Amino acid sequence: HVQLVESGGGSVQAGGSLTLSCTTSRNTWCLGWFRQAPGKEREGVAAIDSDGIASYADPVKGRFTISKDNANNTVNLMMNSLKPEDTAMYYCAADRRCEDVWYHEYAFTYWGPGTQVTV
């Protein structure tokens, strides 16, 4: 049974920072963060593979950082310089390995319930 539970969402002013955390029972797998704004499709934000190699979507490059905390079985998303367009429900996702098209939601099998971020 794969468990994913997000935390850390909230409201922040533009230009501010927020860190999301996802507690998972599969910290050695490919782990990703997605987001979905109202009326829009779910989109990949960042992913990190079993070797710790990270990938980012263009809109967040240089602002967001994904990392694993193996001691606590979490994957974190540190978000800086937040913009109103970053407002969305953010989801943690997991699968056995990262696909080249990790940014598509079909690349991940397991999902958390989500946490809201409002900028």
Side-chain angles (χ1 to χ4, degrees), residues 13-91:
Q13 290 186 340
S17 299
L18 209 58
T19 297
L20 306 181
S21 293
C22 174
T23 302
T24 173
S25 57
R26 295 292 186 270
N27 212 43
T28 57
W29 285 13
C30 175
L31 299 169
W33 283 97
F34 282 70
R35 66 186 181 186
Q36 188 168 19
K40 294 188 176 181
E41 293 186 353
R42 191 171 297 190
E43 62 177 3
V45 174
I48 187 166
D49 67 14
S50 57
D51 294 323
I53 297 173
S55 300
Y56 298 92
D58 285 344
V60 306
K61 281 181 180 177
R63 300 190 298 123
F64 291 11
T65 303
I66 189 171
S67 62
K68 287 187 183 182
D69 180 350
N70 291 326
N72 294 301
N73 289 328
T74 60
V75 56
N76 302 314
L77 184 69
M78 184 170 65
M79 305 183 294
N80 296 319
S81 302
L82 282 162
K83 305 175 181 179
E85 51 262 46
D86 294 318
T87 295
M89 184 72 78
Y90 281 71
Y91 298 91

